[in-house]
PDB file of all heavy atoms in Angstrom:
ATOM      1  N   VAL A   1     253.419 136.140 224.277  1.00 93.00           N
ATOM      2  CA  VAL A   1     254.394 137.007 224.928  1.00 93.00           C
ATOM      3  C   VAL A   1     255.776 136.314 224.872  1.00 93.00           C
ATOM      4  O   VAL A   1     255.864 135.121 225.236  1.00 93.00           O
ATOM      5  CB  VAL A   1     254.047 137.382 226.386  1.00 93.00           C
ATOM      6  CG1 VAL A   1     255.107 138.183 226.960  1.00 93.00           C
ATOM      7  CG2 VAL A   1     252.750 138.101 226.371  1.00 93.00           C
ATOM      8  N   SER A   2     256.817 136.898 224.435  1.00 91.00           N
ATOM      9  CA  SER A   2     258.155 136.345 224.440  1.00 91.00           C
ATOM     10  C   SER A   2     259.095 137.374 224.988  1.00 91.00           C
ATOM     11  O   SER A   2     258.942 138.596 224.826  1.00 91.00           O
ATOM     12  CB  SER A   2     258.534 135.960 223.055  1.00 91.00           C
ATOM     13  OG  SER A   2     258.544 136.946 222.137  1.00 91.00           O
ATOM     14  N   ALA A   3     260.186 136.860 225.650  1.00 85.00           N
ATOM     15  CA  ALA A   3     261.277 137.748 226.126  1.00 85.00           C
ATOM     16  C   ALA A   3     262.028 138.280 225.008  1.00 85.00           C
ATOM     17  O   ALA A   3     262.391 137.624 224.055  1.00 85.00           O
ATOM     18  CB  ALA A   3     262.117 136.948 227.103  1.00 85.00           C
ATOM     19  N   ALA A   4     262.433 139.559 225.117  1.00 77.00           N
ATOM     20  CA  ALA A   4     263.262 140.236 224.094  1.00 77.00           C
ATOM     21  C   ALA A   4     264.312 141.017 224.876  1.00 77.00           C
ATOM     22  O   ALA A   4     264.169 142.224 225.089  1.00 77.00           O
ATOM     23  CB  ALA A   4     262.368 141.197 223.257  1.00 77.00           C
ATOM     24  N   GLY A   5     265.405 140.346 225.283  1.00 76.00           N
ATOM     25  CA  GLY A   5     266.400 141.009 226.034  1.00 76.00           C
ATOM     26  C   GLY A   5     265.916 141.381 227.391  1.00 76.00           C
ATOM     27  O   GLY A   5     265.449 140.565 228.150  1.00 76.00           O
ATOM     28  N   ALA A   6     265.934 142.674 227.731  1.00 77.00           N
ATOM     29  CA  ALA A   6     265.458 143.208 228.994  1.00 77.00           C
ATOM     30  C   ALA A   6     263.985 143.465 228.958  1.00 77.00           C
ATOM     31  O   ALA A   6     263.405 143.798 229.942  1.00 77.00           O
ATOM     32  CB  ALA A   6     266.210 144.443 229.398  1.00 77.00           C
ATOM     33  N   GLY A   7     263.324 143.329 227.777  1.00 87.00           N
ATOM     34  CA  GLY A   7     261.926 143.633 227.673  1.00 87.00           C
ATOM     35  C   GLY A   7     261.150 142.448 227.157  1.00 87.00           C
ATOM     36  O   GLY A   7     261.533 141.286 227.337  1.00 87.00           O
ATOM     37  N   VAL A   8     259.989 142.763 226.558  1.00 93.00           N
ATOM     38  CA  VAL A   8     259.057 141.733 226.100  1.00 93.00           C
ATOM     39  C   VAL A   8     258.602 142.076 224.701  1.00 93.00           C
ATOM     40  O   VAL A   8     258.523 143.229 224.336  1.00 93.00           O
ATOM     41  CB  VAL A   8     257.881 141.491 227.078  1.00 93.00           C
ATOM     42  CG1 VAL A   8     258.256 140.943 228.358  1.00 93.00           C
ATOM     43  CG2 VAL A   8     257.084 142.757 227.226  1.00 93.00           C
ATOM     44  N   ARG A   9     258.221 141.090 223.964  1.00 94.00           N
ATOM     45  CA  ARG A   9     257.500 141.204 222.700  1.00 94.00           C
ATOM     46  C   ARG A   9     256.153 140.610 222.813  1.00 94.00           C
ATOM     47  O   ARG A   9     255.984 139.538 223.309  1.00 94.00           O
ATOM     48  CB  ARG A   9     258.222 140.498 221.605  1.00 94.00           C
ATOM     49  CG  ARG A   9     259.081 141.364 220.741  1.00 94.00           C
ATOM     50  CD  ARG A   9     259.519 140.642 219.554  1.00 94.00           C
ATOM     51  NE  ARG A   9     260.845 140.214 219.832  1.00 94.00           N
ATOM     52  CZ  ARG A   9     261.581 139.382 219.076  1.00 94.00           C
ATOM     53  NH1 ARG A   9     261.039 138.809 218.009  1.00 94.00           N
ATOM     54  NH2 ARG A   9     262.822 139.084 219.356  1.00 94.00           N
ATOM     55  N   VAL A  10     255.066 141.363 222.522  1.00 94.00           N
ATOM     56  CA  VAL A  10     253.686 140.887 222.574  1.00 94.00           C
ATOM     57  C   VAL A  10     253.152 140.784 221.122  1.00 94.00           C
ATOM     58  O   VAL A  10     253.252 141.761 220.374  1.00 94.00           O
ATOM     59  CB  VAL A  10     252.849 141.778 223.457  1.00 94.00           C
ATOM     60  CG1 VAL A  10     251.447 141.315 223.488  1.00 94.00           C
ATOM     61  CG2 VAL A  10     253.429 141.843 224.843  1.00 94.00           C
ATOM     62  N   HIS A  11     252.584 139.681 220.810  1.00 94.00           N
ATOM     63  CA  HIS A  11     251.963 139.391 219.553  1.00 94.00           C
ATOM     64  C   HIS A  11     250.404 139.307 219.748  1.00 94.00           C
ATOM     65  O   HIS A  11     249.924 138.336 220.414  1.00 94.00           O
ATOM     66  CB  HIS A  11     252.466 138.165 218.883  1.00 94.00           C
ATOM     67  CG  HIS A  11     253.927 138.140 218.672  1.00 94.00           C
ATOM     68  ND1 HIS A  11     254.489 138.674 217.505  1.00 94.00           N
ATOM     69  CD2 HIS A  11     254.895 137.805 219.416  1.00 94.00           C
ATOM     70  CE1 HIS A  11     255.794 138.523 217.620  1.00 94.00           C
ATOM     71  NE2 HIS A  11     256.126 138.044 218.727  1.00 94.00           N
ATOM     72  N   VAL A  12     249.655 140.169 219.136  1.00 93.00           N
ATOM     73  CA  VAL A  12     248.170 140.172 219.378  1.00 93.00           C
ATOM     74  C   VAL A  12     247.577 139.911 218.005  1.00 93.00           C
ATOM     75  O   VAL A  12     247.812 140.568 217.004  1.00 93.00           O
ATOM     76  CB  VAL A  12     247.689 141.587 219.871  1.00 93.00           C
ATOM     77  CG1 VAL A  12     246.197 141.638 219.950  1.00 93.00           C
ATOM     78  CG2 VAL A  12     248.366 141.912 221.185  1.00 93.00           C
ATOM     79  N   PRO A  13     246.744 138.843 217.886  1.00 91.00           N
ATOM     80  CA  PRO A  13     246.049 138.572 216.660  1.00 91.00           C
ATOM     81  C   PRO A  13     244.984 139.547 216.322  1.00 91.00           C
ATOM     82  O   PRO A  13     244.273 139.973 217.135  1.00 91.00           O
ATOM     83  CB  PRO A  13     245.477 137.182 216.892  1.00 91.00           C
ATOM     84  CG  PRO A  13     245.228 137.120 218.394  1.00 91.00           C
ATOM     85  CD  PRO A  13     246.345 137.948 218.972  1.00 91.00           C
ATOM     86  N   VAL A  14     244.882 139.835 215.012  1.00 90.00           N
ATOM     87  CA  VAL A  14     243.789 140.686 214.486  1.00 90.00           C
ATOM     88  C   VAL A  14     242.724 139.760 213.839  1.00 90.00           C
ATOM     89  O   VAL A  14     243.053 139.086 212.880  1.00 90.00           O
ATOM     90  CB  VAL A  14     244.307 141.672 213.447  1.00 90.00           C
ATOM     91  CG1 VAL A  14     243.163 142.502 212.867  1.00 90.00           C
ATOM     92  CG2 VAL A  14     245.394 142.544 214.044  1.00 90.00           C
ATOM     93  N   PRO A  15     241.549 139.738 214.440  1.00 87.00           N
ATOM     94  CA  PRO A  15     240.471 138.866 213.890  1.00 87.00           C
ATOM     95  C   PRO A  15     239.944 139.447 212.573  1.00 87.00           C
ATOM     96  O   PRO A  15     239.874 140.663 212.431  1.00 87.00           O
ATOM     97  CB  PRO A  15     239.408 138.868 214.996  1.00 87.00           C
ATOM     98  CG  PRO A  15     239.617 140.052 215.747  1.00 87.00           C
ATOM     99  CD  PRO A  15     241.060 140.372 215.659  1.00 87.00           C
ATOM    100  N   LEU A  16     239.484 138.537 211.720  1.00 89.00           N
ATOM    101  CA  LEU A  16     238.802 138.918 210.465  1.00 89.00           C
ATOM    102  C   LEU A  16     237.428 139.280 210.860  1.00 89.00           C
ATOM    103  O   LEU A  16     236.761 138.611 211.639  1.00 89.00           O
ATOM    104  CB  LEU A  16     238.877 137.854 209.418  1.00 89.00           C
ATOM    105  CG  LEU A  16     238.456 138.119 208.059  1.00 89.00           C
ATOM    106  CD1 LEU A  16     239.346 139.246 207.405  1.00 89.00           C
ATOM    107  CD2 LEU A  16     238.551 136.886 207.170  1.00 89.00           C
ATOM    108  N   ALA A  17     236.906 140.343 210.339  1.00 83.00           N
ATOM    109  CA  ALA A  17     235.542 140.864 210.754  1.00 83.00           C
ATOM    110  C   ALA A  17     234.459 139.792 210.514  1.00 83.00           C
ATOM    111  O   ALA A  17     234.438 139.208 209.484  1.00 83.00           O
ATOM    112  CB  ALA A  17     235.197 142.144 209.927  1.00 83.00           C
ATOM    113  N   PHE A  18     233.671 139.593 211.523  1.00 81.00           N
ATOM    114  CA  PHE A  18     232.529 138.638 211.534  1.00 81.00           C
ATOM    115  C   PHE A  18     232.917 137.179 211.362  1.00 81.00           C
ATOM    116  O   PHE A  18     232.099 136.392 211.046  1.00 81.00           O
ATOM    117  CB  PHE A  18     231.559 139.050 210.439  1.00 81.00           C
ATOM    118  CG  PHE A  18     231.041 140.466 210.613  1.00 81.00           C
ATOM    119  CD1 PHE A  18     231.398 141.386 209.669  1.00 81.00           C
ATOM    120  CD2 PHE A  18     230.327 140.843 211.652  1.00 81.00           C
ATOM    121  CE1 PHE A  18     230.956 142.683 209.772  1.00 81.00           C
ATOM    122  CE2 PHE A  18     229.852 142.167 211.819  1.00 81.00           C
ATOM    123  CZ  PHE A  18     230.153 143.117 210.871  1.00 81.00           C
ATOM    124  N   THR A  19     234.183 136.826 211.654  1.00 81.00           N
ATOM    125  CA  THR A  19     234.582 135.379 211.654  1.00 81.00           C
ATOM    126  C   THR A  19     235.460 135.173 212.804  1.00 81.00           C
ATOM    127  O   THR A  19     235.940 136.154 213.495  1.00 81.00           O
ATOM    128  CB  THR A  19     235.330 135.023 210.345  1.00 81.00           C
ATOM    129  OG1 THR A  19     236.564 135.776 210.303  1.00 81.00           O
ATOM    130  CG2 THR A  19     234.476 135.297 209.101  1.00 81.00           C
ATOM    131  N   ASN A  20     235.868 133.871 213.025  1.00 77.00           N
ATOM    132  CA  ASN A  20     236.841 133.613 214.090  1.00 77.00           C
ATOM    133  C   ASN A  20     238.263 133.381 213.572  1.00 77.00           C
ATOM    134  O   ASN A  20     239.055 132.879 214.270  1.00 77.00           O
ATOM    135  CB  ASN A  20     236.352 132.381 214.881  1.00 77.00           C
ATOM    136  CG  ASN A  20     235.202 132.726 215.748  1.00 77.00           C
ATOM    137  OD1 ASN A  20     235.040 133.791 216.232  1.00 77.00           O
ATOM    138  ND2 ASN A  20     234.398 131.715 216.093  1.00 77.00           N
ATOM    139  N   THR A  21     238.452 133.718 212.278  1.00 84.00           N
ATOM    140  CA  THR A  21     239.774 133.490 211.705  1.00 84.00           C
ATOM    141  C   THR A  21     240.645 134.711 212.011  1.00 84.00           C
ATOM    142  O   THR A  21     240.219 135.831 212.272  1.00 84.00           O
ATOM    143  CB  THR A  21     239.769 133.223 210.224  1.00 84.00           C
ATOM    144  OG1 THR A  21     239.092 134.359 209.533  1.00 84.00           O
ATOM    145  CG2 THR A  21     238.905 131.944 209.927  1.00 84.00           C
ATOM    146  N   ARG A  22     241.956 134.542 211.915  1.00 86.00           N
ATOM    147  CA  ARG A  22     242.944 135.511 212.096  1.00 86.00           C
ATOM    148  C   ARG A  22     243.383 136.212 210.842  1.00 86.00           C
ATOM    149  O   ARG A  22     243.794 135.541 209.931  1.00 86.00           O
ATOM    150  CB  ARG A  22     244.111 135.012 212.887  1.00 86.00           C
ATOM    151  CG  ARG A  22     245.158 136.035 213.205  1.00 86.00           C
ATOM    152  CD  ARG A  22     246.252 135.533 213.996  1.00 86.00           C
ATOM    153  NE  ARG A  22     246.569 134.112 213.905  1.00 86.00           N
ATOM    154  CZ  ARG A  22     247.379 133.449 214.624  1.00 86.00           C
ATOM    155  NH1 ARG A  22     248.071 134.083 215.558  1.00 86.00           N
ATOM    156  NH2 ARG A  22     247.587 132.153 214.521  1.00 86.00           N
ATOM    157  N   LEU A  23     243.360 137.536 210.733  1.00 87.00           N
ATOM    158  CA  LEU A  23     243.728 138.251 209.509  1.00 87.00           C
ATOM    159  C   LEU A  23     245.319 138.414 209.530  1.00 87.00           C
ATOM    160  O   LEU A  23     245.927 138.048 208.534  1.00 87.00           O
ATOM    161  CB  LEU A  23     243.106 139.642 209.477  1.00 87.00           C
ATOM    162  CG  LEU A  23     243.473 140.548 208.356  1.00 87.00           C
ATOM    163  CD1 LEU A  23     243.071 139.906 207.058  1.00 87.00           C
ATOM    164  CD2 LEU A  23     242.841 141.922 208.503  1.00 87.00           C
ATOM    165  N   THR A  24     245.810 138.878 210.637  1.00 89.00           N
ATOM    166  CA  THR A  24     247.257 139.046 210.776  1.00 89.00           C
ATOM    167  C   THR A  24     247.574 139.152 212.302  1.00 89.00           C
ATOM    168  O   THR A  24     246.710 139.048 213.103  1.00 89.00           O
ATOM    169  CB  THR A  24     247.713 140.381 210.020  1.00 89.00           C
ATOM    170  OG1 THR A  24     249.159 140.439 210.127  1.00 89.00           O
ATOM    171  CG2 THR A  24     247.127 141.623 210.659  1.00 89.00           C
ATOM    172  N   THR A  25     248.816 139.426 212.607  1.00 91.00           N
ATOM    173  CA  THR A  25     249.261 139.598 214.023  1.00 91.00           C
ATOM    174  C   THR A  25     249.972 140.863 214.121  1.00 91.00           C
ATOM    175  O   THR A  25     250.794 141.268 213.319  1.00 91.00           O
ATOM    176  CB  THR A  25     250.163 138.428 214.405  1.00 91.00           C
ATOM    177  OG1 THR A  25     249.423 137.200 214.236  1.00 91.00           O
ATOM    178  CG2 THR A  25     250.554 138.494 215.905  1.00 91.00           C
ATOM    179  N   ILE A  26     249.722 141.620 215.179  1.00 91.00           N
ATOM    180  CA  ILE A  26     250.364 142.907 215.535  1.00 91.00           C
ATOM    181  C   ILE A  26     251.361 142.621 216.594  1.00 91.00           C
ATOM    182  O   ILE A  26     251.079 141.929 217.570  1.00 91.00           O
ATOM    183  CB  ILE A  26     249.392 144.008 215.993  1.00 91.00           C
ATOM    184  CG1 ILE A  26     248.257 144.191 214.966  1.00 91.00           C
ATOM    185  CG2 ILE A  26     250.086 145.271 216.308  1.00 91.00           C
ATOM    186  CD1 ILE A  26     248.713 144.814 213.737  1.00 91.00           C
ATOM    187  N   GLU A  27     252.591 143.146 216.440  1.00 93.00           N
ATOM    188  CA  GLU A  27     253.661 142.980 217.368  1.00 93.00           C
ATOM    189  C   GLU A  27     254.008 144.334 218.052  1.00 93.00           C
ATOM    190  O   GLU A  27     254.068 145.375 217.393  1.00 93.00           O
ATOM    191  CB  GLU A  27     254.929 142.459 216.749  1.00 93.00           C
ATOM    192  CG  GLU A  27     256.074 142.289 217.720  1.00 93.00           C
ATOM    193  CD  GLU A  27     257.336 141.843 216.997  1.00 93.00           C
ATOM    194  OE1 GLU A  27     257.241 141.002 216.084  1.00 93.00           O
ATOM    195  OE2 GLU A  27     258.364 142.329 217.414  1.00 93.00           O
ATOM    196  N   ALA A  28     254.166 144.293 219.377  1.00 93.00           N
ATOM    197  CA  ALA A  28     254.592 145.501 220.089  1.00 93.00           C
ATOM    198  C   ALA A  28     255.709 145.070 221.049  1.00 93.00           C
ATOM    199  O   ALA A  28     255.715 143.929 221.573  1.00 93.00           O
ATOM    200  CB  ALA A  28     253.382 146.091 220.852  1.00 93.00           C
ATOM    201  N   ARG A  29     256.559 146.046 221.342  1.00 93.00           N
ATOM    202  CA  ARG A  29     257.632 145.784 222.287  1.00 93.00           C
ATOM    203  C   ARG A  29     257.741 146.796 223.398  1.00 93.00           C
ATOM    204  O   ARG A  29     257.297 147.942 223.136  1.00 93.00           O
ATOM    205  CB  ARG A  29     259.007 145.812 221.538  1.00 93.00           C
ATOM    206  CG  ARG A  29     259.157 144.743 220.489  1.00 93.00           C
ATOM    207  CD  ARG A  29     260.417 144.973 219.706  1.00 93.00           C
ATOM    208  NE  ARG A  29     260.499 144.074 218.562  1.00 93.00           N
ATOM    209  CZ  ARG A  29     261.556 143.744 217.952  1.00 93.00           C
ATOM    210  NH1 ARG A  29     262.764 144.190 218.380  1.00 93.00           N
ATOM    211  NH2 ARG A  29     261.501 142.975 216.924  1.00 93.00           N
ATOM    212  N   ALA A  30     258.169 146.367 224.522  1.00 92.00           N
ATOM    213  CA  ALA A  30     258.382 147.347 225.639  1.00 92.00           C
ATOM    214  C   ALA A  30     259.397 146.750 226.546  1.00 92.00           C
ATOM    215  O   ALA A  30     259.601 145.523 226.581  1.00 92.00           O
ATOM    216  CB  ALA A  30     257.122 147.512 226.434  1.00 92.00           C
ATOM    217  N   ALA A  31     260.117 147.640 227.234  1.00 88.00           N
ATOM    218  CA  ALA A  31     261.204 147.195 228.160  1.00 88.00           C
ATOM    219  C   ALA A  31     261.257 148.131 229.360  1.00 88.00           C
ATOM    220  O   ALA A  31     261.051 149.333 229.233  1.00 88.00           O
ATOM    221  CB  ALA A  31     262.556 147.215 227.450  1.00 88.00           C
ATOM    222  N   LEU A  32     261.466 147.536 230.501  1.00 85.00           N
ATOM    223  CA  LEU A  32     261.650 148.247 231.727  1.00 85.00           C
ATOM    224  C   LEU A  32     262.794 147.554 232.434  1.00 85.00           C
ATOM    225  O   LEU A  32     262.909 146.330 232.450  1.00 85.00           O
ATOM    226  CB  LEU A  32     260.411 148.166 232.627  1.00 85.00           C
ATOM    227  CG  LEU A  32     259.289 149.079 232.228  1.00 85.00           C
ATOM    228  CD1 LEU A  32     258.106 148.830 233.134  1.00 85.00           C
ATOM    229  CD2 LEU A  32     259.728 150.548 232.363  1.00 85.00           C
ATOM    230  N   PRO A  33     263.668 148.239 233.227  1.00 84.00           N
ATOM    231  CA  PRO A  33     264.670 147.609 233.972  1.00 84.00           C
ATOM    232  C   PRO A  33     264.064 146.874 235.116  1.00 84.00           C
ATOM    233  O   PRO A  33     263.046 147.232 235.632  1.00 84.00           O
ATOM    234  CB  PRO A  33     265.622 148.737 234.434  1.00 84.00           C
ATOM    235  CG  PRO A  33     264.693 149.930 234.333  1.00 84.00           C
ATOM    236  CD  PRO A  33     263.770 149.693 233.286  1.00 84.00           C
ATOM    237  N   PRO A  34     264.716 145.815 235.599  1.00 79.00           N
ATOM    238  CA  PRO A  34     264.216 145.096 236.828  1.00 79.00           C
ATOM    239  C   PRO A  34     264.054 145.994 238.032  1.00 79.00           C
ATOM    240  O   PRO A  34     264.917 146.830 238.271  1.00 79.00           O
ATOM    241  CB  PRO A  34     265.286 144.012 237.043  1.00 79.00           C
ATOM    242  CG  PRO A  34     266.022 143.906 235.825  1.00 79.00           C
ATOM    243  CD  PRO A  34     265.942 145.212 235.139  1.00 79.00           C
ATOM    244  N   GLN A  35     262.933 145.873 238.686  1.00 77.00           N
ATOM    245  CA  GLN A  35     262.702 146.670 239.885  1.00 77.00           C
ATOM    246  C   GLN A  35     262.962 145.826 241.117  1.00 77.00           C
ATOM    247  O   GLN A  35     262.709 144.657 241.137  1.00 77.00           O
ATOM    248  CB  GLN A  35     261.161 147.133 239.873  1.00 77.00           C
ATOM    249  CG  GLN A  35     260.755 147.826 238.672  1.00 77.00           C
ATOM    250  CD  GLN A  35     261.422 149.194 238.435  1.00 77.00           C
ATOM    251  OE1 GLN A  35     261.460 149.960 239.332  1.00 77.00           O
ATOM    252  NE2 GLN A  35     262.008 149.413 237.310  1.00 77.00           N
TER     253      GLN A  35
END
């Protein structure tokens, strides 16, 4: 998880089927104003 301005960026690894290695990483972003 990393800060991206007022929001965050989350990087989730995609595992390779039937192994413990990583195939790629998926990134998602979201932002909410401070409460």
Side-chain angles (χ1 to χ4, degrees):
V1 176
S2 58
V8 294
R9 261 190 258 172
V10 176
H11 302 269
V12 176
V14 179
L16 192 59
F18 304 112
T19 65
N20 285 335
T21 59
R22 180 176 24 189
L23 178 65
T24 187
T25 302
I26 302 294
E27 178 184 322
R29 297 177 189 200
L32 284 174
Q35 305 294 309

